[in-house]
Amino acid sequence: MFDGYDSCSEDTSSSSSSEESEEEVAPLPSNLPIIKNNGQVYTYPDGKSGMATCEMCGMVGVRDAFYSKTKRFCSVSCSRSYSSNSKKASILARLQGKPPTKKAKVLQKQPLVAKLAAYAQYQATLQNQAKTKSVAVSVEGFSWGNYISSNSFIAAPVTCFKHAPMGTCWGDISENVRVEVPNTDCSLPTKVFWIAGIVKLAGYNALLRYEGFENDSGLDFWCNICGSDIHPVGWCAASGKPLVPPRTIQHKYTNWKAFLVKRLTGAKTLPPDFSQKVSESMQYPFKPCMRVEVVDKRHLCRTRVAVVESVIGGRLRLVYEESEDRTDDFWCHMHSPLIHHIGWSRSIGHRFKRSDITKKQDGHFDTPPHLFAKVKEVDQSGEWFKEGMKLEAIDPLNLSTICVATIRKVLADGFLMIGIDGSEAADGSDWFCYHATSPSIFPVGFCEINMIELTPPRGYTKLPFKWFDYLRETGSIAAPVKLFNKDVPNHGFRVGMKLEAVDLMEPRLICVATVTRIIHRLLRIHFDGWEEEYDQWVDCESPDLYPVGWCQLTGYQLQPPASQSSRESQSGSSKQKKKAKSQQYKGHKKKRKMPIGKKPVSLSSLPMTGGVRRSFSGGEELTPPLYRALPAQTALEAFPPPRTSREFSPSLKTVTTLQLKEELIDGEDYNFLQGASDQESNGSANFYIKQEP
């Protein structure tokens, strides 16, 4: 790959070695291309060579990269054109009785004028860009690079997000990988490049440092590694782009060739097809005008037909088919469990709202079933969930809580209708559908074992809540522990990591967020700048979590951390709502975050209040159901290396003091893995229960 630098060279003899001593390049991961010195002659821009101007077209560039020995022209075509024009000028001079000149004066003036004009235009462009950037900063008010650098934050790696672009093919991109990037420390009117190394990675964003600056961080800069201006070493040669050292260090070395040979030999760079992989990973099968079945955000127990309005980074803006003004919409990811193919509801026995539209509108077509996320197949022929069984579940209308819940209906293909005890609507309109393998439902005792506050039924006065007493009082049984999903993937998340997360109570918003607790595969997501009551439990494989820099890469609007004034404003409005709606549900309430700055690209507001959890009989609208949320705690903890999970040895009976009827464990003893450490159980293992031999 080293011969890619021929774009900056001409046939020359090999250069002498540099007098400056450089540090050896540290070994890097092995699956990235290695830059090799294959014995060929390479010439690099020399600080003494300076710049040259093409006498034909006026282009300014590195002298060594120019054509011919005299370095008068930037290309062969310019040289030939100049030669032809010179002959014409010489003939014209003879006809006018003037002595012929070696150079045509007219052609001499033209490049100078062109050079001045190009330079003036370049300076004007820089000034306009500076003005634009300053305005953008004042409007957006947030930069991931500054936010991470100033607070020494750690971002979740891209490999944690399998659904995100490059999530499955990120490879070993890490610190010290070399890339070719635009050289911003240069006064040339043309775009030139230089080599930089990755100093720090934060999701898609990388802190880069130009080669030659060594330990000087004065010109370090952040950029998105998947951006169009980031290239593997050797790209400039293949594209005919000049490599020019930054002006600050231009005279630091007398022999740039020897310097780069020593620095780059054995180093790693991006794969040659990196940009192609990025482009391919951002191709999405869902297209506008596709029809799907999606949960009805006003009645969770049923689905409706919606049409894909737009696709941004795999996120779908769905418009309910009956919406005449196309403002009744819903946002979710294409892999969300909330959307299904047409006919899904009928096939499993789920409630469905028939559309008043008797036939498809022109151009609309049903989405192929194979494009939707697949659920794990289950065997319902043996022991299975039954109506009336108790369990613990995340409230989809208040994702910060895990509540006492009941199985209200068993559907086909492993799907269950779940209701929250003490706050269900009389007609069951707030039941919500989870699959039996969903990471949002848990066996009785899960919260107690993992030291999570369990939300008791509304109106239940016998506190503190005890499952044994509640099961006895209600004459019910707990769902068998062995029926729950116990898989824990090696997700890679750690407490304190930064990421971009969807506010599932306002799914059109993506916010700056932090992982504050980890319980096996469940993450507690905190939205920076907001109170803990806005926190949400989310599965580690949720498609509503994204790496740092995802919004910039896809063009989606990122909501920055809330300021104190905006929080106080929200608190005041929330208090007024609570007073005005005091006759409504008195249980846990969820305030709604308002967007900061601009709204997402091509978004329209959702008609949701997000205040009271259930208000089907009142005047308030209900917030939409969220992606299967997940449990965990709230306290923000330090960021030590992960440790091996510890087992909590007492059996289920000992830990939860439950003799729950023999149906609970059928005479078998289970051990729970205690969630004592928020960084435990990050590996392929049982979820939270282990059966004794």
Side-chain angles (χ1 to χ4, degrees), residues 14-77:
S14 59
S15 61
S16 58
S17 59
S18 175
E19 296 178 0
E20 291 83 350
S21 60
E22 301 295 335
E23 298 177 356
E24 293 296 330
V25 179
L28 294 175
S30 59
N31 70 344
L32 291 179
I34 299 177
I35 305 171
K36 298 181 180 179
N37 184 348
N38 57 11
Q40 297 183 17
V41 177
Y42 312 107
T43 305
Y44 299 86
D46 192 298
K48 293 183 178 180
S49 299
M51 311 305 296
T53 303
C54 179
E55 296 183 8
M56 182 61 206
C57 67
M59 174 184 164
V60 180
V62 180
R63 182 178 178 83
D64 285 343
F66 269 46
Y67 176 74
S68 80
K69 294 182 179 180
T70 57
K71 308 299 183 184
R72 293 169 56 193
F73 310 103
C74 64
S75 64
V76 176
S77 60

Side-chain angles (χ1 to χ4, degrees), residues 73 144 195 215 258 265 284 292 309 336 354 376 442 495 523 526 532 640 674 681:
F73 310 103
W144 264 120
I195 300 170
N215 297 325
T265 299
Y284 308 104
V292 301
E309 178 73 12
S336 169
R354 294 185 178 276
K376 184 179 180 181
F442 320 97
V495 171
L523 312 179
H526 173 75
E532 290 185 359
Q674 184 182 16
S681 302

Side-chain angles (χ1 to χ4, degrees), residues 295-296 299-302 350-351 387 396-397 406-410 416-420 423-434 613-614 616 625:
V295 67
D296 187 342
H299 295 80
L300 305 186
C301 65
R302 70 187 185 190
H350 194 281
R351 291 177 61 179
E387 292 184 17
L397 299 178
T406 303
I407 298 174
R408 294 304 180 187
K409 189 176 181 180
V410 179
L416 310 170
M417 297 302 295
I418 307 293
I420 300 297
S423 57
E424 298 177 63
D427 59 355
S429 57
D430 57 349
W431 297 352
F432 48 95
C433 183
Y434 278 149
R613 182 190 176 277
R614 288 168 174 76
F616 294 107

Side-chain angles (χ1 to χ4, degrees), residues 444-446 449 481 649-660 664-665 668-672:
V444 164
F446 173 83
I449 292 300
V481 172
S649 56
S651 67
L652 176 65
K653 295 180 182 179
T654 305
V655 175
T656 60
T657 65
L658 300 178
Q659 271 103 15
L660 304 175
L664 175 61
I665 48 181
E668 296 176 340
D669 288 338
Y670 290 84
N671 280 351
F672 285 69

Side-chain angles (χ1 to χ4, degrees), residues 382-394:
E383 184 179 12
W384 192 243
F385 293 99
K386 297 179 181 179
E387 292 184 17
M389 283 183 172
K390 299 294 183 181
L391 69 163
E392 299 175 3
I394 296 176

Side-chain angles (χ1 to χ4, degrees), residues 182-253:
N183 179 5
T184 57
D185 184 25
C186 183
S187 58
L188 300 178
T190 57
K191 190 174 186 179
V192 296
F193 292 79
W194 190 240
I195 300 170
I198 298 178
V199 177
K200 183 176 182 179
L201 268 179
Y204 292 118
N205 293 345
L207 181 63
L208 299 180
R209 180 175 300 170
Y210 289 122
E211 281 296 334
F213 278 84
E214 299 177 1
N215 297 325
D216 183 2
S217 61
L219 286 184
D220 288 2
F221 60 99
W222 285 90
C223 69
N224 196 304
I225 205 70
C226 295
S228 58
D229 277 337
I230 310 299
H231 308 282
V233 172
W235 176 85
C236 283
S239 305
K241 304 294 183 181
L243 281 169
V244 180
R247 180 174 51 183
T248 304
I249 60 170
Q250 190 171 11
H251 301 286
K252 185 175 181 180
Y253 297 96

